[in-house]
Amino acid sequence: MSTRLSTGAAEPVTDRTVVGENLSLPLFRTLSGVLAGHPYLKVVVDRAENTWHLLDTGAHPFHVDYVATRVLGMDLAALDAELDAFNASVYTDPERRFLLGVLSLQSLPAEQEQGGERPFLVLETTEADTMHGELLAFFYEFVRARVDSRLPLLLKPANHRQEEELSAISERRVPRILSHELFGSRERTPLNPGEATGRLRFFRTAEEYTAAEAGLGWADIVAMPCLPDDVPRVAGFINTAPITPLSHTNVLASGWGIPNAIVRDLEQLVDEGGLEDAWVRYRVDEDDISLQRLDHEPDLRAPAWHQQRIRLEPPLLEDAPVLSLHRLRSADRGRYGTKAANLGELHHVLDSRTVDLTSFYGRPRPPREDLYGHLAARLGLTAFTEDRLRARAAEFVAEAVGAPEGVALPFALQQRFLASSPALQQGIGKLKMALELDATDVLDSLCLHLQHLIRHTPVPESVTCRIDQAFPAATASRGRLVVRSSSNAEDLPGFSAAGVYDSVTTVHGTGELLDALRQVWASLVSPRSVRLRHQVGIPLDDTYMGVIVQEYVPASLGGVLVTCNPTRREDFRNVYLNCSPGSPEQVVDGTVLPQQYLYNTVEGGGRTVALGSWERGLSAAVRDRLADLSLTGRLLQSHFSRADVDQPLDIEWLMTERGDFRLVQIRPYAL
């Protein structure tokens, strides 16, 4: 649900909207549409007339269109001309005449409700609505008095501000349910939209999956409680236990363009529908998740990615120095890899404060010419020129976050290491020959042997000297280090490689640093990474690994944000953020279920989606800081997405023990 940003399509001839009637369940079903798998109905309360309007969702896609044209007698052209002021009058004016909301029909899962599912109604406002506590109570009581008393009605605060406003009001007066409570009770949750036809392979345990893994192919739809990060490329994913949309497996699903969802009642569906190992048509979108059994094995063609060929920029292998990250720019990705180059570019953005970070807000969003006014409000500017807005945006980002200190090792050092050993050269030659002959039956053994050689071959003195020279103090005297991969074969259009290459976060001393360096280099020829690259035509000869070495920074909070709403692709307002106490790795590797938040970077505000493995959410003060972090991510998108300002970013971040934010990785997020 959102405030209106564009003119709706022409209304159908039949309009079943009613005014002033009490709401029964049959009337609800007559007027309702479906959103996120649940029937819903738009409502407008007119305080001046002491009545309400129950909108036919098929006829009235936007509350404000209805209020303006049907109640106030405006035409859409007049509404468009003063849309921001009109939105403010219905969403933020504390004395507003109209209260706008949505009623959705929900139910508790059968295991939570004895005797089967129990339906109940949920009332909520738009996410940008700023109703104060008494107005929320009035809204609830007005609707409660007009809804069939046999249906329980709960108010769902739409944002953190509403939660805080309601905290002073008795739950007996206003029964409520929080966003994360409603999310946690959902049987089915879309993660990545898409459609696939394939064979359903349902594994109830990790052991069942491991036993069948070698036989999985591109036509399989893999279902299990939590898919492993090294799952092969298949037609679709289904999770039967909760995960986050920012998990490695969902990032892979997004990059591969395959459907993914949480279906907690899959075992029941499989038993009832005879879906075990059956051919099915699997569809995921924000309104529905469906599995349709097919009567016969379909005549499937190989997917498009079988013919897909990813082209790499030629790696630059001439001798290059080990450089501090702040000396790199994005153009250096051909020598040091994408991750290192992006971190260098981040240093430039923060240090120079001259980069334009406002172009996302400058894009037309009809009927508006731009969203500069909204950005100015987020940045605390009451009056502005475009130049002042750009300067303030650069200041805001530089004040909000920092870039990690560290050094980048070029591809040339890896090449020098590989060339130092005849055994390594022989192993590479055998692997290249197997790839050319498409001898997939021997790939795994060749890769594992080559990885073993890389991990145990001595690093030439010429390489170790370069590394030692990059650190002013002896490596052994430094604290804990983090060694990260930075390949040229990742973060590419059509090939994200999320979670494919290794990083090592517990490194102490010279010996461990060299071991970690070889482990990262070896991950470039892991069986999985070689297969994934081979499938999309990336030659082994063109693939190189740079390495980032950073000092470890203790974190009180860490996580990942993407500058979009992964489950609603048309939503350009919200940024999705996951976090957990401690290291960000816990979020992406599935060790814990993170807390999940959505932050609106247009009108402002945020809401808690899920508490994950924790019993309570973050404090209001920390949530406010995360709102600033989310806005920072959106502003950086304007620069790092280059030509397409709507291309979202995937940002790994941490909050230090002093409360400062550090961005430790920036890359494109595949849509």
Side-chain angles (χ1 to χ4, degrees):
M1 185 169 52
S2 62
T3 54
R4 180 179 175 273
L5 281 177
S6 60
T7 302
E11 295 179 0
V13 175
T14 302
D15 181 357
R16 296 165 293 185
T17 294
V18 298
V19 181
E21 292 188 21
N22 286 351
L23 181 62
S24 63
L25 189 55
L27 178 59
F28 178 93
R29 295 192 183 281
T30 298
L31 300 175
S32 65
V34 176
L35 182 65
H38 297 283
Y40 80 103
L41 172 66
K42 294 182 175 70
V43 300
V44 174
V45 170
D46 186 341
R47 299 171 72 198
E49 298 293 333
N50 194 36
T51 191
W52 71 337
H53 304 246
L54 307 177
L55 276 55
D56 182 342
T57 56
H60 301 289
F62 299 103
H63 288 88
V64 292
D65 283 6
Y66 177 84
V67 172
T69 60
R70 297 301 181 90
V71 182
L72 300 179
M74 300 171 62
D75 60 39
L76 288 177
L79 174 61
D80 286 351
E82 53 180 276
L83 184 56
D84 287 332
F86 193 91
N87 277 340
S89 74
V90 294
Y91 292 119
T92 62
D93 185 348
E95 304 301 325
R96 69 192 78 170
R97 171 181 171 181
F98 299 103
L99 308 180
L100 313 185
V102 163
L103 281 167
S104 61
L105 186 64
Q106 309 277 342
S107 61
L108 291 172
E111 65 267 19
Q112 295 184 28
E113 187 65 26
Q114 293 183 353
E117 295 186 346
R118 180 192 182 198
F120 62 96
L121 288 175
V122 172
L123 175 66
E124 62 181 303
T125 70
T126 182
E127 64 191 26
D129 199 297
T130 61
M131 282 191 201
H132 56 74
E134 282 302 318
L135 199 54
L136 285 166
F138 172 86
F139 190 31
Y140 172 83
E141 291 165 348
F142 188 100
V143 173
R144 173 70 278 178
R146 290 160 178 79
V147 170
D148 187 333
S149 60
R150 292 171 295 181
L151 280 173
L153 176 66
L154 303 176
L155 180 69
K156 180 167 83 70
N159 50 52
H160 293 139
R161 175 172 176 169
Q162 287 188 4
E163 290 179 18
E164 292 162 11
E165 289 285 334
L166 282 172
S167 64
I169 296 175
S170 165
E171 290 200 39
R172 294 189 63 183
R173 180 184 176 191
V174 182
R176 68 206 65 164
I177 188 168
L178 301 182
S179 294
H180 65 85
E181 294 171 331
L182 196 59
F183 179 85
S185 69
R186 292 171 65 179
E187 289 284 353
R188 300 167 195 172
T189 304
L191 295 173
N192 194 65
E195 185 170 336
T197 298
R199 185 177 55 159
L200 181 63
R201 305 295 305 277
F202 181 25
F203 305 109
R204 292 162 179 80
T205 66
E207 290 74 19
E208 288 182 9
Y209 168 83
T210 300
E213 180 182 7
L216 295 177
W218 58 264
D220 289 323
I221 296 168
V222 178
M224 60 188 297
C226 184
L227 285 94
D229 284 350
D230 61 353
V231 63
R233 192 161 186 172
V234 292
F237 296 156
I238 302 176
N239 302 268
T240 60
I243 67 164
T244 166
L246 302 190
S247 66
H248 269 152
T249 51
N250 197 53
V251 172
L252 288 174
S254 180
W256 292 343
I258 62 174
N260 188 19
I262 301 170
V263 183
R264 298 169 72 173
D265 59 341
L266 180 66
E267 184 154 14
Q268 178 182 342
L269 296 178
V270 167
D271 292 343
E272 292 176 352
L275 302 180
E276 188 87 45
D277 289 329
W279 291 93
V280 299
R281 183 167 291 111
Y282 172 40
R283 184 172 182 270
V284 176
D285 61 35
E286 66 181 67
D287 296 329
D288 192 29
I289 300 166
S290 62
L291 277 169
Q292 176 188 356
R293 192 180 194 280
L294 303 179
D295 294 332
H296 57 276
E297 180 177 340
D299 182 16
L300 294 179
R301 296 181 179 179
W305 57 263
H306 261 235
Q307 289 76 43
Q308 181 184 21
R309 289 298 175 262
I310 302 295
R311 294 289 177 250
L312 301 183
E313 296 179 5
L316 303 175
L317 302 176
E318 70 273 13
D319 197 23
V322 177
L323 287 181
S324 296
L325 289 174
H326 72 268
R327 295 181 60 187
L328 299 183
R329 296 290 300 275
S330 60
D332 290 313
R333 59 185 177 272
R335 290 183 176 86
Y336 297 88
T338 306
K339 287 180 188 175
N342 282 348
L343 289 177
E345 188 70 18
L346 176 62
H347 273 281
H348 168 71
V349 169
L350 300 181
D351 293 342
S352 70
R353 303 195 183 193
T354 59
V355 174
D356 179 12
L357 302 178
T358 67
S359 55
F360 174 87
Y361 291 87
R363 178 170 176 171
R365 310 284 178 180
R368 296 175 175 85
E369 293 183 2
D370 57 61
L371 297 175
Y372 284 146
H374 289 276
L375 176 58
R378 303 282 71 75
L379 296 175
L381 297 177
T382 55
F384 66 94
T385 63
E386 288 189 21
D387 286 346
R388 176 65 187 119
L389 188 63
R390 290 171 182 167
R392 177 63 193 127
E395 292 169 359
F396 178 87
V397 169
E399 293 164 357
V401 300
E405 298 298 328
V407 299
L409 279 56
F411 300 154
L413 287 190
Q414 182 207 17
Q415 184 190 41
R416 185 177 296 183
F417 167 72
L418 295 176
S420 70
S421 166
L424 286 176
Q425 290 299 302
Q426 185 180 42
I428 293 170
K430 289 181 178 179
L431 180 56
K432 287 167 58 178
M433 181 65 71
L435 291 170
E436 290 172 7
L437 298 175
D438 205 24
T440 56
D441 56 325
V442 298
L443 275 185
D444 285 9
S445 60
L446 290 174
C447 288
L448 292 171
H449 177 66
L450 183 53
Q451 283 191 292
H452 176 81
L453 287 176
I454 291 172
R455 292 192 185 104
H456 293 88
T457 297
V459 179
E461 185 177 351
S462 61
V463 174
T464 59
C465 286
R466 289 287 189 92
I467 297 171
D468 289 341
Q469 290 169 5
F471 293 94
T475 306
S477 67
R478 305 179 73 86
R480 177 176 166 185
L481 298 174
V482 176
V483 178
R484 297 181 181 275
S485 61
S486 182
S487 172
N488 65 334
E490 61 184 324
D491 303 336
L492 303 169
F495 190 77
S496 73
V500 171
Y501 305 123
D502 286 354
S503 291
V504 186
T505 61
T506 55
V507 178
H508 297 84
T510 304
E512 289 189 12
L513 175 59
L514 294 179
D515 287 343
L517 178 62
R518 285 177 293 200
Q519 179 176 334
V520 172
W521 281 339
S523 68
L524 195 66
V525 291
S526 70
R528 182 170 183 243
S529 69
V530 169
R531 286 180 181 276
L532 289 175
R533 292 194 305 269
H534 183 59
Q535 288 169 351
V536 296
I538 297 177
L540 184 63
D541 275 342
D542 293 345
T543 309
Y544 282 87
M545 178 67 76
V547 176
I548 303 167
V549 182
Q550 302 166 237
E551 291 190 45
Y552 173 78
V553 177
S556 60
L557 192 68
V560 178
L561 70 86
V562 292
T563 57
C564 66
N565 182 347
T567 61
R568 294 187 60 197
R569 300 302 172 85
E570 76 284 358
D571 175 10
F572 59 82
R573 289 177 166 84
N574 284 293
V575 163
Y576 202 94
L577 184 147
N578 284 188
C579 62
S580 67
S583 168
E585 280 78 8
Q586 294 182 98
V587 173
V588 295
D589 69 9
T591 305
V592 298
L593 282 175
Q595 297 188 16
Q596 302 175 42
Y597 297 89
L598 273 172
Y599 286 97
N600 185 324
T601 59
V602 177
E603 291 90 2
R607 63 186 186 273
T608 305
V609 177
L611 292 182
S613 301
W614 285 265
E615 294 182 357
R616 64 181 62 186
L618 300 170
S619 68
V622 173
R623 293 200 307 260
D624 288 345
R625 296 286 312 284
L626 295 181
D628 289 344
L629 177 65
S630 299
L631 179 57
T632 296
R634 176 70 81 203
L635 293 169
L636 290 172
Q637 178 179 330
S638 293
H639 179 67
F640 281 90
S641 296
R642 299 179 180 87
D644 180 7
V645 296
D646 278 343
Q647 171 63 47
L649 299 179
D650 176 336
I651 299 175
E652 191 174 315
W653 59 272
L654 57 84
M655 178 187 282
T656 70
E657 294 176 339
R658 296 188 304 174
D660 303 324
F661 284 120
R662 299 278 182 89
L663 307 188
V664 296
Q665 180 173 295
I666 298 179
R667 62 186 177 189
Y669 180 76
L671 283 177

